[in-house]
PDB file of all heavy atoms in Angstrom:
ATOM      1  N   ASP A   1    -249.506-134.244 -19.708  1.00 98.00           N
ATOM      2  CA  ASP A   1    -250.328-133.293 -20.456  1.00 98.00           C
ATOM      3  C   ASP A   1    -250.118-131.923 -19.812  1.00 98.00           C
ATOM      4  O   ASP A   1    -250.644-131.658 -18.730  1.00 98.00           O
ATOM      5  CB  ASP A   1    -251.780-133.694 -20.410  1.00 98.00           C
ATOM      6  CG  ASP A   1    -252.709-132.715 -21.144  1.00 98.00           C
ATOM      7  OD1 ASP A   1    -252.216-131.671 -21.618  1.00 98.00           O
ATOM      8  OD2 ASP A   1    -253.923-132.962 -21.238  1.00 98.00           O
ATOM      9  N   GLU A   2    -249.343-131.096 -20.424  1.00 98.00           N
ATOM     10  CA  GLU A   2    -248.956-129.795 -19.841  1.00 98.00           C
ATOM     11  C   GLU A   2    -249.723-128.619 -20.469  1.00 98.00           C
ATOM     12  O   GLU A   2    -249.306-127.481 -20.363  1.00 98.00           O
ATOM     13  CB  GLU A   2    -247.464-129.592 -19.950  1.00 98.00           C
ATOM     14  CG  GLU A   2    -246.707-130.665 -19.162  1.00 98.00           C
ATOM     15  CD  GLU A   2    -245.213-130.635 -19.345  1.00 98.00           C
ATOM     16  OE1 GLU A   2    -244.717-129.768 -20.094  1.00 98.00           O
ATOM     17  OE2 GLU A   2    -244.527-131.502 -18.738  1.00 98.00           O
ATOM     18  N   ARG A   3    -250.864-128.919 -21.110  1.00 98.00           N
ATOM     19  CA  ARG A   3    -251.674-127.887 -21.730  1.00 98.00           C
ATOM     20  C   ARG A   3    -253.083-127.819 -21.145  1.00 98.00           C
ATOM     21  O   ARG A   3    -253.615-126.724 -20.915  1.00 98.00           O
ATOM     22  CB  ARG A   3    -251.775-128.105 -23.244  1.00 98.00           C
ATOM     23  CG  ARG A   3    -250.499-127.813 -23.984  1.00 98.00           C
ATOM     24  CD  ARG A   3    -250.205-126.324 -23.949  1.00 98.00           C
ATOM     25  NE  ARG A   3    -248.816-126.051 -24.339  1.00 98.00           N
ATOM     26  CZ  ARG A   3    -248.236-124.883 -24.292  1.00 98.00           C
ATOM     27  NH1 ARG A   3    -248.905-123.805 -23.878  1.00 98.00           N
ATOM     28  NH2 ARG A   3    -246.980-124.715 -24.626  1.00 98.00           N
ATOM     29  N   SER A   4    -253.743-128.945 -20.958  1.00 98.00           N
ATOM     30  CA  SER A   4    -255.165-128.971 -20.687  1.00 98.00           C
ATOM     31  C   SER A   4    -255.549-128.279 -19.381  1.00 98.00           C
ATOM     32  O   SER A   4    -256.638-127.753 -19.262  1.00 98.00           O
ATOM     33  CB  SER A   4    -255.660-130.405 -20.655  1.00 98.00           C
ATOM     34  OG  SER A   4    -255.546-131.008 -21.933  1.00 98.00           O
ATOM     35  N   TYR A   5    -254.635-128.268 -18.404  1.00 98.00           N
ATOM     36  CA  TYR A   5    -254.997-127.799 -17.078  1.00 98.00           C
ATOM     37  C   TYR A   5    -254.226-126.548 -16.649  1.00 98.00           C
ATOM     38  O   TYR A   5    -254.423-126.059 -15.532  1.00 98.00           O
ATOM     39  CB  TYR A   5    -254.742-128.923 -16.059  1.00 98.00           C
ATOM     40  CG  TYR A   5    -255.241-130.245 -16.532  1.00 98.00           C
ATOM     41  CD1 TYR A   5    -254.361-131.228 -16.999  1.00 98.00           C
ATOM     42  CD2 TYR A   5    -256.613-130.554 -16.573  1.00 98.00           C
ATOM     43  CE1 TYR A   5    -254.837-132.452 -17.480  1.00 98.00           C
ATOM     44  CE2 TYR A   5    -257.078-131.756 -17.025  1.00 98.00           C
ATOM     45  CZ  TYR A   5    -256.197-132.710 -17.499  1.00 98.00           C
ATOM     46  OH  TYR A   5    -256.655-133.919 -17.979  1.00 98.00           O
ATOM     47  N   ARG A   6    -253.390-126.008 -17.506  1.00 98.00           N
ATOM     48  CA  ARG A   6    -252.507-124.948 -17.053  1.00 98.00           C
ATOM     49  C   ARG A   6    -253.213-123.610 -16.885  1.00 98.00           C
ATOM     50  O   ARG A   6    -254.156-123.276 -17.594  1.00 98.00           O
ATOM     51  CB  ARG A   6    -251.287-124.800 -17.970  1.00 98.00           C
ATOM     52  CG  ARG A   6    -251.543-124.264 -19.342  1.00 98.00           C
ATOM     53  CD  ARG A   6    -250.257-123.678 -19.959  1.00 98.00           C
ATOM     54  NE  ARG A   6    -249.242-124.657 -20.271  1.00 98.00           N
ATOM     55  CZ  ARG A   6    -247.997-124.321 -20.633  1.00 98.00           C
ATOM     56  NH1 ARG A   6    -247.653-123.061 -20.763  1.00 98.00           N
ATOM     57  NH2 ARG A   6    -247.101-125.260 -20.901  1.00 98.00           N
ATOM     58  N   SER A   7    -252.675-122.852 -15.931  1.00 98.00           N
ATOM     59  CA  SER A   7    -253.167-121.500 -15.650  1.00 98.00           C
ATOM     60  C   SER A   7    -252.738-120.532 -16.745  1.00 98.00           C
ATOM     61  O   SER A   7    -251.821-120.829 -17.536  1.00 98.00           O
ATOM     62  CB  SER A   7    -252.612-121.006 -14.309  1.00 98.00           C
ATOM     63  OG  SER A   7    -253.004-121.877 -13.262  1.00 98.00           O
ATOM     64  N   PRO A   8    -253.329-119.340 -16.796  1.00 97.00           N
ATOM     65  CA  PRO A   8    -252.955-118.359 -17.811  1.00 97.00           C
ATOM     66  C   PRO A   8    -251.467-118.013 -17.714  1.00 97.00           C
ATOM     67  O   PRO A   8    -250.853-118.046 -16.638  1.00 97.00           O
ATOM     68  CB  PRO A   8    -253.827-117.137 -17.469  1.00 97.00           C
ATOM     69  CG  PRO A   8    -255.017-117.706 -16.768  1.00 97.00           C
ATOM     70  CD  PRO A   8    -254.515-118.879 -16.000  1.00 97.00           C
ATOM     71  N   SER A   9    -250.911-117.659 -18.850  1.00 96.00           N
ATOM     72  CA  SER A   9    -249.494-117.300 -18.935  1.00 96.00           C
ATOM     73  C   SER A   9    -249.227-116.018 -18.175  1.00 96.00           C
ATOM     74  O   SER A   9    -250.089-115.124 -18.034  1.00 96.00           O
ATOM     75  CB  SER A   9    -249.079-117.131 -20.393  1.00 96.00           C
ATOM     76  OG  SER A   9    -247.803-116.581 -20.525  1.00 96.00           O
ATOM     77  N   ALA A  10    -247.969-115.851 -17.712  1.00 94.00           N
ATOM     78  CA  ALA A  10    -247.533-114.633 -17.069  1.00 94.00           C
ATOM     79  C   ALA A  10    -247.015-113.610 -18.079  1.00 94.00           C
ATOM     80  O   ALA A  10    -246.616-112.502 -17.695  1.00 94.00           O
ATOM     81  CB  ALA A  10    -246.424-114.941 -16.054  1.00 94.00           C
ATOM     82  N   ALA A  11    -247.050-113.952 -19.367  1.00 91.00           N
ATOM     83  CA  ALA A  11    -246.450-113.076 -20.369  1.00 91.00           C
ATOM     84  C   ALA A  11    -247.092-111.689 -20.385  1.00 91.00           C
ATOM     85  O   ALA A  11    -246.411-110.683 -20.537  1.00 91.00           O
ATOM     86  CB  ALA A  11    -246.544-113.712 -21.761  1.00 91.00           C
ATOM     87  N   GLY A  12    -248.412-111.624 -20.186  1.00 90.00           N
ATOM     88  CA  GLY A  12    -249.054-110.328 -20.210  1.00 90.00           C
ATOM     89  C   GLY A  12    -248.596-109.434 -19.095  1.00 90.00           C
ATOM     90  O   GLY A  12    -248.303-108.245 -19.312  1.00 90.00           O
ATOM     91  N   THR A  13    -248.487-109.959 -17.891  1.00 91.00           N
ATOM     92  CA  THR A  13    -248.030-109.167 -16.740  1.00 91.00           C
ATOM     93  C   THR A  13    -246.562-108.829 -16.866  1.00 91.00           C
ATOM     94  O   THR A  13    -246.136-107.750 -16.426  1.00 91.00           O
ATOM     95  CB  THR A  13    -248.299-109.953 -15.440  1.00 91.00           C
ATOM     96  OG1 THR A  13    -249.688-110.189 -15.320  1.00 91.00           O
ATOM     97  CG2 THR A  13    -247.808-109.187 -14.218  1.00 91.00           C
ATOM     98  N   CYS A  14    -245.782-109.713 -17.425  1.00 88.00           N
ATOM     99  CA  CYS A  14    -244.329-109.543 -17.446  1.00 88.00           C
ATOM    100  C   CYS A  14    -243.840-108.896 -18.748  1.00 88.00           C
ATOM    101  O   CYS A  14    -242.645-108.846 -19.008  1.00 88.00           O
ATOM    102  CB  CYS A  14    -243.655-110.891 -17.278  1.00 88.00           C
ATOM    103  SG  CYS A  14    -243.935-111.645 -15.640  1.00 88.00           S
ATOM    104  N   ALA A  15    -244.777-108.425 -19.572  1.00 82.00           N
ATOM    105  CA  ALA A  15    -244.378-107.834 -20.851  1.00 82.00           C
ATOM    106  C   ALA A  15    -243.660-106.520 -20.668  1.00 82.00           C
ATOM    107  O   ALA A  15    -243.870-105.785 -19.702  1.00 82.00           O
ATOM    108  CB  ALA A  15    -245.621-107.623 -21.722  1.00 82.00           C
ATOM    109  N   VAL A  16    -242.799-106.233 -21.616  1.00 82.00           N
ATOM    110  CA  VAL A  16    -242.085-104.936 -21.672  1.00 82.00           C
ATOM    111  C   VAL A  16    -242.402-104.307 -23.009  1.00 82.00           C
ATOM    112  O   VAL A  16    -242.087-104.882 -24.065  1.00 82.00           O
ATOM    113  CB  VAL A  16    -240.574-105.127 -21.512  1.00 82.00           C
ATOM    114  CG1 VAL A  16    -239.840-103.800 -21.678  1.00 82.00           C
ATOM    115  CG2 VAL A  16    -240.243-105.758 -20.175  1.00 82.00           C
ATOM    116  N   ASP A  17    -243.072-103.149 -22.995  1.00 77.00           N
ATOM    117  CA  ASP A  17    -243.470-102.457 -24.222  1.00 77.00           C
ATOM    118  C   ASP A  17    -244.231-103.368 -25.152  1.00 77.00           C
ATOM    119  O   ASP A  17    -244.011-103.377 -26.373  1.00 77.00           O
ATOM    120  CB  ASP A  17    -242.217-101.906 -24.955  1.00 77.00           C
ATOM    121  CG  ASP A  17    -241.508-100.848 -24.128  1.00 77.00           C
ATOM    122  OD1 ASP A  17    -242.208-100.138 -23.370  1.00 77.00           O
ATOM    123  OD2 ASP A  17    -240.274-100.731 -24.253  1.00 77.00           O
ATOM    124  N   GLY A  18    -245.117-104.179 -24.550  1.00 67.00           N
ATOM    125  CA  GLY A  18    -245.979-105.019 -25.347  1.00 67.00           C
ATOM    126  C   GLY A  18    -245.329-106.320 -25.780  1.00 67.00           C
ATOM    127  O   GLY A  18    -245.989-107.135 -26.428  1.00 67.00           O
ATOM    128  N   SER A  19    -244.061-106.553 -25.475  1.00 70.00           N
ATOM    129  CA  SER A  19    -243.395-107.791 -25.866  1.00 70.00           C
ATOM    130  C   SER A  19    -243.011-108.553 -24.613  1.00 70.00           C
ATOM    131  O   SER A  19    -242.645-107.967 -23.598  1.00 70.00           O
ATOM    132  CB  SER A  19    -242.132-107.482 -26.679  1.00 70.00           C
ATOM    133  OG  SER A  19    -242.478-106.779 -27.865  1.00 70.00           O
ATOM    134  N   PRO A  20    -243.060-109.889 -24.683  1.00 68.00           N
ATOM    135  CA  PRO A  20    -242.677-110.661 -23.490  1.00 68.00           C
ATOM    136  C   PRO A  20    -241.246-110.394 -23.090  1.00 68.00           C
ATOM    137  O   PRO A  20    -240.359-110.274 -23.946  1.00 68.00           O
ATOM    138  CB  PRO A  20    -242.857-112.112 -23.938  1.00 68.00           C
ATOM    139  CG  PRO A  20    -243.816-112.029 -25.078  1.00 68.00           C
ATOM    140  CD  PRO A  20    -243.537-110.739 -25.763  1.00 68.00           C
ATOM    141  N   ASP A  21    -240.994-110.308 -21.821  1.00 73.00           N
ATOM    142  CA  ASP A  21    -239.646-110.193 -21.258  1.00 73.00           C
ATOM    143  C   ASP A  21    -238.953-111.518 -21.488  1.00 73.00           C
ATOM    144  O   ASP A  21    -239.396-112.540 -20.996  1.00 73.00           O
ATOM    145  CB  ASP A  21    -239.734-109.859 -19.787  1.00 73.00           C
ATOM    146  CG  ASP A  21    -238.392-109.771 -19.109  1.00 73.00           C
ATOM    147  OD1 ASP A  21    -237.370-110.106 -19.751  1.00 73.00           O
ATOM    148  OD2 ASP A  21    -238.326-109.397 -17.939  1.00 73.00           O
ATOM    149  N   VAL A  22    -237.867-111.547 -22.233  1.00 70.00           N
ATOM    150  CA  VAL A  22    -237.272-112.816 -22.612  1.00 70.00           C
ATOM    151  C   VAL A  22    -236.318-113.358 -21.548  1.00 70.00           C
ATOM    152  O   VAL A  22    -235.875-114.499 -21.661  1.00 70.00           O
ATOM    153  CB  VAL A  22    -236.529-112.717 -23.938  1.00 70.00           C
ATOM    154  CG1 VAL A  22    -237.513-112.422 -25.063  1.00 70.00           C
ATOM    155  CG2 VAL A  22    -235.405-111.673 -23.897  1.00 70.00           C
ATOM    156  N   LEU A  23    -235.941-112.560 -20.538  1.00 71.00           N
ATOM    157  CA  LEU A  23    -234.955-113.040 -19.584  1.00 71.00           C
ATOM    158  C   LEU A  23    -235.313-112.658 -18.156  1.00 71.00           C
ATOM    159  O   LEU A  23    -234.640-111.839 -17.528  1.00 71.00           O
ATOM    160  CB  LEU A  23    -233.564-112.471 -19.950  1.00 71.00           C
ATOM    161  CG  LEU A  23    -232.963-112.928 -21.272  1.00 71.00           C
ATOM    162  CD1 LEU A  23    -231.809-112.026 -21.675  1.00 71.00           C
ATOM    163  CD2 LEU A  23    -232.514-114.374 -21.164  1.00 71.00           C
ATOM    164  N   PRO A  24    -236.370-113.194 -17.582  1.00 75.00           N
ATOM    165  CA  PRO A  24    -236.736-112.790 -16.215  1.00 75.00           C
ATOM    166  C   PRO A  24    -235.717-113.204 -15.190  1.00 75.00           C
ATOM    167  O   PRO A  24    -235.499-112.461 -14.222  1.00 75.00           O
ATOM    168  CB  PRO A  24    -238.069-113.507 -16.000  1.00 75.00           C
ATOM    169  CG  PRO A  24    -237.997-114.693 -16.862  1.00 75.00           C
ATOM    170  CD  PRO A  24    -237.258-114.254 -18.084  1.00 75.00           C
ATOM    171  N   ALA A  25    -235.086-114.363 -15.335  1.00 71.00           N
ATOM    172  CA  ALA A  25    -234.118-114.791 -14.331  1.00 71.00           C
ATOM    173  C   ALA A  25    -232.947-113.837 -14.242  1.00 71.00           C
ATOM    174  O   ALA A  25    -232.294-113.730 -13.208  1.00 71.00           O
ATOM    175  CB  ALA A  25    -233.640-116.200 -14.638  1.00 71.00           C
ATOM    176  N   ALA A  26    -232.674-113.132 -15.341  1.00 72.00           N
ATOM    177  CA  ALA A  26    -231.554-112.208 -15.342  1.00 72.00           C
ATOM    178  C   ALA A  26    -231.807-110.992 -14.460  1.00 72.00           C
ATOM    179  O   ALA A  26    -230.886-110.253 -14.132  1.00 72.00           O
ATOM    180  CB  ALA A  26    -231.275-111.746 -16.767  1.00 72.00           C
ATOM    181  N   ALA A  27    -233.076-110.776 -14.091  1.00 70.00           N
ATOM    182  CA  ALA A  27    -233.365-109.642 -13.207  1.00 70.00           C
ATOM    183  C   ALA A  27    -233.279-110.000 -11.735  1.00 70.00           C
ATOM    184  O   ALA A  27    -233.324-109.115 -10.897  1.00 70.00           O
ATOM    185  CB  ALA A  27    -234.791-109.147 -13.509  1.00 70.00           C
ATOM    186  N   ALA A  28    -233.135-111.283 -11.430  1.00 65.00           N
ATOM    187  CA  ALA A  28    -233.092-111.688 -10.038  1.00 65.00           C
ATOM    188  C   ALA A  28    -231.839-111.131  -9.350  1.00 65.00           C
ATOM    189  O   ALA A  28    -230.762-111.091  -9.967  1.00 65.00           O
ATOM    190  CB  ALA A  28    -233.105-113.215  -9.943  1.00 65.00           C
ATOM    191  N   PRO A  29    -231.962-110.683  -8.096  1.00 60.00           N
ATOM    192  CA  PRO A  29    -230.795-110.127  -7.420  1.00 60.00           C
ATOM    193  C   PRO A  29    -229.602-111.089  -7.353  1.00 60.00           C
ATOM    194  O   PRO A  29    -228.457-110.637  -7.411  1.00 60.00           O
ATOM    195  CB  PRO A  29    -231.327-109.807  -6.013  1.00 60.00           C
ATOM    196  CG  PRO A  29    -232.806-109.629  -6.222  1.00 60.00           C
ATOM    197  CD  PRO A  29    -233.182-110.581  -7.300  1.00 60.00           C
ATOM    198  N   GLY A  30    -229.905-112.365  -7.277  1.00 62.00           N
ATOM    199  CA  GLY A  30    -228.819-113.331  -7.162  1.00 62.00           C
ATOM    200  C   GLY A  30    -228.276-113.812  -8.491  1.00 62.00           C
ATOM    201  O   GLY A  30    -227.402-114.688  -8.527  1.00 62.00           O
ATOM    202  N   ALA A  31    -228.759-113.299  -9.602  1.00 70.00           N
ATOM    203  CA  ALA A  31    -228.304-113.742 -10.904  1.00 70.00           C
ATOM    204  C   ALA A  31    -226.870-113.342 -11.154  1.00 70.00           C
ATOM    205  O   ALA A  31    -226.430-112.271 -10.709  1.00 70.00           O
ATOM    206  CB  ALA A  31    -229.202-113.189 -11.992  1.00 70.00           C
ATOM    207  N   PRO A  32    -226.118-114.177 -11.833  1.00 71.00           N
ATOM    208  CA  PRO A  32    -224.730-113.803 -12.175  1.00 71.00           C
ATOM    209  C   PRO A  32    -224.686-112.480 -12.954  1.00 71.00           C
ATOM    210  O   PRO A  32    -225.581-112.184 -13.715  1.00 71.00           O
ATOM    211  CB  PRO A  32    -224.237-114.977 -13.038  1.00 71.00           C
ATOM    212  CG  PRO A  32    -225.142-116.105 -12.667  1.00 71.00           C
ATOM    213  CD  PRO A  32    -226.481-115.511 -12.336  1.00 71.00           C
ATOM    214  N   GLU A  33    -223.587-111.758 -12.745  1.00 70.00           N
ATOM    215  CA  GLU A  33    -223.454-110.436 -13.385  1.00 70.00           C
ATOM    216  C   GLU A  33    -223.549-110.555 -14.906  1.00 70.00           C
ATOM    217  O   GLU A  33    -224.183-109.722 -15.568  1.00 70.00           O
ATOM    218  CB  GLU A  33    -222.134-109.791 -12.996  1.00 70.00           C
ATOM    219  CG  GLU A  33    -221.939-108.403 -13.580  1.00 70.00           C
ATOM    220  CD  GLU A  33    -220.625-107.757 -13.104  1.00 70.00           C
ATOM    221  OE1 GLU A  33    -220.026-108.323 -12.175  1.00 70.00           O
ATOM    222  OE2 GLU A  33    -220.235-106.742 -13.683  1.00 70.00           O
ATOM    223  N   GLY A  34    -222.961-111.597 -15.470  1.00 67.00           N
ATOM    224  CA  GLY A  34    -223.008-111.791 -16.923  1.00 67.00           C
ATOM    225  C   GLY A  34    -224.409-111.997 -17.416  1.00 67.00           C
ATOM    226  O   GLY A  34    -224.792-111.549 -18.502  1.00 67.00           O
ATOM    227  N   LEU A  35    -225.239-112.652 -16.604  1.00 70.00           N
ATOM    228  CA  LEU A  35    -226.619-112.894 -16.991  1.00 70.00           C
ATOM    229  C   LEU A  35    -227.428-111.604 -16.928  1.00 70.00           C
ATOM    230  O   LEU A  35    -228.220-111.299 -17.801  1.00 70.00           O
ATOM    231  CB  LEU A  35    -227.234-113.948 -16.078  1.00 70.00           C
ATOM    232  CG  LEU A  35    -228.611-114.464 -16.430  1.00 70.00           C
ATOM    233  CD1 LEU A  35    -228.622-115.083 -17.818  1.00 70.00           C
ATOM    234  CD2 LEU A  35    -229.066-115.483 -15.376  1.00 70.00           C
ATOM    235  N   ARG A  36    -227.197-110.806 -15.872  1.00 68.00           N
ATOM    236  CA  ARG A  36    -227.925-109.544 -15.734  1.00 68.00           C
ATOM    237  C   ARG A  36    -227.567-108.614 -16.889  1.00 68.00           C
ATOM    238  O   ARG A  36    -228.392-107.848 -17.376  1.00 68.00           O
ATOM    239  CB  ARG A  36    -227.603-108.899 -14.406  1.00 68.00           C
ATOM    240  CG  ARG A  36    -228.146-109.681 -13.212  1.00 68.00           C
ATOM    241  CD  ARG A  36    -227.697-109.065 -11.877  1.00 68.00           C
ATOM    242  NE  ARG A  36    -228.232-107.722 -11.707  1.00 68.00           N
ATOM    243  CZ  ARG A  36    -229.459-107.431 -11.253  1.00 68.00           C
ATOM    244  NH1 ARG A  36    -230.293-108.408 -10.968  1.00 68.00           N
ATOM    245  NH2 ARG A  36    -229.844-106.180 -11.112  1.00 68.00           N
ATOM    246  N   ALA A  37    -226.341-108.672 -17.340  1.00 68.00           N
ATOM    247  CA  ALA A  37    -225.925-107.779 -18.414  1.00 68.00           C
ATOM    248  C   ALA A  37    -226.628-108.084 -19.730  1.00 68.00           C
ATOM    249  O   ALA A  37    -226.782-107.188 -20.582  1.00 68.00           O
ATOM    250  CB  ALA A  37    -224.414-107.901 -18.618  1.00 68.00           C
ATOM    251  N   VAL A  38    -227.065-109.296 -19.896  1.00 67.00           N
ATOM    252  CA  VAL A  38    -227.736-109.664 -21.132  1.00 67.00           C
ATOM    253  C   VAL A  38    -229.034-108.886 -21.324  1.00 67.00           C
ATOM    254  O   VAL A  38    -229.444-108.586 -22.444  1.00 67.00           O
ATOM    255  CB  VAL A  38    -227.993-111.179 -21.172  1.00 67.00           C
ATOM    256  CG1 VAL A  38    -228.791-111.564 -22.428  1.00 67.00           C
ATOM    257  CG2 VAL A  38    -226.662-111.920 -21.183  1.00 67.00           C
ATOM    258  N   ARG A  39    -229.705-108.550 -20.218  1.00 72.00           N
ATOM    259  CA  ARG A  39    -230.961-107.785 -20.345  1.00 72.00           C
ATOM    260  C   ARG A  39    -230.718-106.462 -21.057  1.00 72.00           C
ATOM    261  O   ARG A  39    -231.473-106.060 -21.935  1.00 72.00           O
ATOM    262  CB  ARG A  39    -231.568-107.571 -18.970  1.00 72.00           C
ATOM    263  CG  ARG A  39    -232.171-108.816 -18.343  1.00 72.00           C
ATOM    264  CD  ARG A  39    -232.794-108.505 -16.989  1.00 72.00           C
ATOM    265  NE  ARG A  39    -233.858-107.515 -17.095  1.00 72.00           N
ATOM    266  CZ  ARG A  39    -235.126-107.795 -17.373  1.00 72.00           C
ATOM    267  NH1 ARG A  39    -235.454-109.036 -17.642  1.00 72.00           N
ATOM    268  NH2 ARG A  39    -236.057-106.873 -17.418  1.00 72.00           N
ATOM    269  N   GLY A  40    -229.646-105.826 -20.676  1.00 68.00           N
ATOM    270  CA  GLY A  40    -229.324-104.570 -21.363  1.00 68.00           C
ATOM    271  C   GLY A  40    -228.933-104.804 -22.830  1.00 68.00           C
ATOM    272  O   GLY A  40    -229.274-104.020 -23.695  1.00 68.00           O
ATOM    273  N   PHE A  41    -228.273-105.928 -23.077  1.00 61.00           N
ATOM    274  CA  PHE A  41    -227.841-106.234 -24.434  1.00 61.00           C
ATOM    275  C   PHE A  41    -229.044-106.379 -25.381  1.00 61.00           C
ATOM    276  O   PHE A  41    -228.973-105.931 -26.543  1.00 61.00           O
ATOM    277  CB  PHE A  41    -227.039-107.520 -24.429  1.00 61.00           C
ATOM    278  CG  PHE A  41    -226.600-107.966 -25.799  1.00 61.00           C
ATOM    279  CD1 PHE A  41    -225.515-107.371 -26.431  1.00 61.00           C
ATOM    280  CD2 PHE A  41    -227.283-108.982 -26.453  1.00 61.00           C
ATOM    281  CE1 PHE A  41    -225.125-107.772 -27.689  1.00 61.00           C
ATOM    282  CE2 PHE A  41    -226.877-109.389 -27.744  1.00 61.00           C
ATOM    283  CZ  PHE A  41    -225.791-108.782 -28.351  1.00 61.00           C
TER     284      PHE A  41
END
């Protein structure tokens, strides 16, 4: 049961211009260059 006990979502904190950031792993320093480029795309 992955709903009944879960903490609030991080979407509000991680939002960009009111929309959820769809690719947080792409911002990680160790992320592959191709993955980081997708954020700009």
Side-chain angles (χ1 to χ4, degrees):
D1 178 356
E2 296 174 0
R3 287 292 164 187
S4 295
Y5 316 105
R6 70 159 67 189
S7 301
S9 171
T13 300
C14 296
V16 176
D17 296 329
S19 299
D21 177 352
V22 295
L23 295 165
E33 182 177 348
L35 188 59
R36 292 176 62 83
V38 175
R39 287 182 60 85
F41 177 79

